Amino acid sequence: MIEVEILRNKSGRAVGIRSLGHADYADSGYDIICAAVSALELNFANSVAELTDAKFETHFGEEEGSFDFVLLGKRNENAELLLMSLLLGYAAIRQEYGSEYLLIKDQEV
C-alpha cells in the first residue's frame, strides 16, 4: 500500500507531502497504480521547480517507493495550487482503485 501524508501547518494549509510504499496492485514494472502515483509526483516536483520561484526540499527513494516534498520560506500561491492539483490526482486514483492501494491522511507539522 502507498501511504500519503498531507503535511499541513497549524492553519490547515497543505505545505507538503510524504509518500511511502508500493501499491502491490501488480508485479513490479506492471503496477499501474505505482506508475500513476510516481508520474504525478515527478510532474508535480518538476512543475514547482520550473513554473514557480518557491523554495522547497524534496527526496525520491525508488527502492522504498518514497517521495517527500516540503515547501519552505514564504507562502507561494502558485506552488500551493500545484500541490492541490497533486492531491486531486491522489484522490482520483484512490477513488478509482480503492484505499487498499492508496491511503491518504493528514499530518500537522
Side-chain angles (χ1 to χ4, degrees), residues 49-63:
E50 293 294 321
L51 302 174
T52 77
D53 60 355
K55 304 293 183 213
F56 61 91
E57 290 181 354
T58 190
H59 169 75
F60 288 95
E62 189 173 335
E63 284 295 315

Side-chain angles (χ1 to χ4, degrees), residues 15-79:
V15 294
I17 64 107
R18 282 190 198 118
S19 173
L20 180 63
H22 295 283
D24 295 323
Y25 181 78
D27 291 336
S28 180
Y30 298 94
D31 193 322
I32 60 174
I33 297 173
C34 277
V37 168
S38 294
L40 282 173
E41 292 169 347
L42 184 58
N43 185 65
F44 162 70
N46 287 336
S47 294
V48 172
E50 293 294 321
L51 302 174
T52 77
D53 60 355
K55 304 293 183 213
F56 61 91
E57 290 181 354
T58 190
H59 169 75
F60 288 95
E62 189 173 335
E63 284 295 315
E64 66 275 11
S66 68
F67 173 68
D68 299 322
F69 182 98
V70 178
L71 290 168
L72 304 172
K74 66 180 184 173
R75 187 171 183 184
N76 186 297
E77 291 182 11
N78 290 329

